[in-house]
Structure formats: C-alpha cells, structure tokens
Amino acid sequence: MTWIKDTYVSMHGETNINAEGCATGKFPSQGGIDGRTESTGLGVYYCIKQLLDMDSFINNSLLKDSGKGIAGKTVIVQGFGAVGYWAAKFLQRDGAKVVGIIEYNSAIYNPSGLDVDMAKNHFIQRGTLIGFNQAVEETSLDPVEFIQKECDILIPAAKEKA
C-alpha cells in the first residue's frame, strides 16, 4: 500500500489533497494511522449512534418508548470478529446491553446482558462461545437461529452481504 501511495505522490505531487489518503492499510510509519483493527466496527458504532440521536428516526421506529441514544438499547451481534466485536464493545461502553453473540460455531444469549470482553476472551481461549458463564442460552447446532431473538439493534457482521 505504501508503494501505491508513493506512486500516486510521484504522479500528482506531495501537495495533492489525496496524497496521504489515496491508499488504506499503510503502516503508521508510512503515513497510515493507528486504530486499523477497530476502524470498521467503530464506523458501525458511529452510524448507529447517529441514527439513535435523530428524532426523525426514533419517532418512526419501534424505539419510541426507549427514547433517543444508545443507553439501554439491546444488541445482538452476528459475527464476533474485527467488526462485530468492536461495534459491540463501543456500544456497550455507551450503555447498550449486548444480549446475544453469534459466531459460526456457537451462539450465546442473556437478556440481562453479556460482558463483551469476557465473551471475546472465552472465545479466543476455547474457540467457541459454548460454556461462557454469563450465557443463559447457548447453541452449537444452529447458531444463526439466535438472530431471531428479541433486540433493539441487530448487527449482521459475520460476512459480506449478510
């Protein structure tokens, strides 16, 4: 990616407004930015935050009774990788309750909420969400069925075109 940026700069000059941003994924020492890992999940979070702060969206949705903002909203995330994990983490930080997590081989649910970081650590250590101590329901047979559980926000972050 640095090579692409350098080629662009040699063609258009260093003062061109797009010189540093013409290619993503560069090392920070080559004009890239830190935060690459969480960037897409953070973008999902910002989109949800923006929507939930708009009166017109809230008034025309099923969320009228819970009001504006992230706090108190329930979340199910399908896909707990770079996008799903970070989106869930930022939403939880702002007061949302992550009630369901769905991975390719397992799914967990708790209407009282799940700690995102603890669930991620469990998944990393065991390769499954099964056995996570905060789950009141779990499955490894058909994890995607948990997408039908009740929530305010559903994040399909498992794969493209989900």
Side-chain angles (χ1 to χ4, degrees):
M1 298 314 287
T2 301
W3 178 79
I4 291 171
K5 181 200 90 166
D6 289 344
T7 302
Y8 185 95
V9 168
S10 71
M11 292 172 62
H12 300 284
E14 290 181 11
T15 59
N16 182 285
I17 194 168
N18 297 313
E20 287 296 317
C22 69
T24 62
K26 301 177 299 290
F27 294 109
S29 63
Q30 302 296 316
I33 59 171
D34 288 326
R36 185 94 178 120
T37 304
E38 67 271 15
S39 61
T40 307
L42 185 59
V44 170
Y45 157 80
Y46 280 128
C47 289
I48 292 169
K49 181 177 176 17
Q50 187 69 28
L51 273 174
L52 294 178
D53 285 339
M54 294 175 57
D55 288 323
S56 60
F57 178 78
I58 295 297
N59 291 337
N60 291 300
S61 71
L62 299 175
L63 301 173
K64 285 184 230 174
D65 296 337
S66 61
K68 286 172 53 174
I70 291 172
K73 303 296 188 292
T74 57
V75 178
I76 292 178
V77 60
Q78 178 197 21
F80 206 42
V83 178
Y85 165 71
W86 286 104
K89 181 176 177 68
F90 290 121
L91 288 165
Q92 187 173 64
R93 180 197 66 190
D94 280 6
K97 189 180 350 176
V98 177
V99 296
I101 301 170
I102 304 166
E103 252 303 327
Y104 69 96
N105 63 352
S106 52
I108 54 175
Y109 182 80
N110 184 340
S112 298
L114 302 160
D115 183 284
V116 171
D117 285 328
M118 289 176 66
K120 184 66 170 180
N121 288 334
H122 179 90
F123 187 77
I124 290 169
Q125 291 173 357
R126 299 188 183 181
T128 182
L129 294 166
I130 299 299
F132 182 57
N133 63 359
Q134 294 178 0
V136 295
E137 289 183 59
E138 60 183 27
T139 187
S140 61
L141 298 176
D142 188 13
V144 85
E145 76 183 26
F146 276 43
I147 207 166
Q148 298 175 37
K149 301 263 184 211
E150 188 172 330
C151 66
D152 297 319
I153 302 163
L154 174 64
I155 302 173
K159 55 185 175 182
E160 64 183 48
K161 300 179 184 177

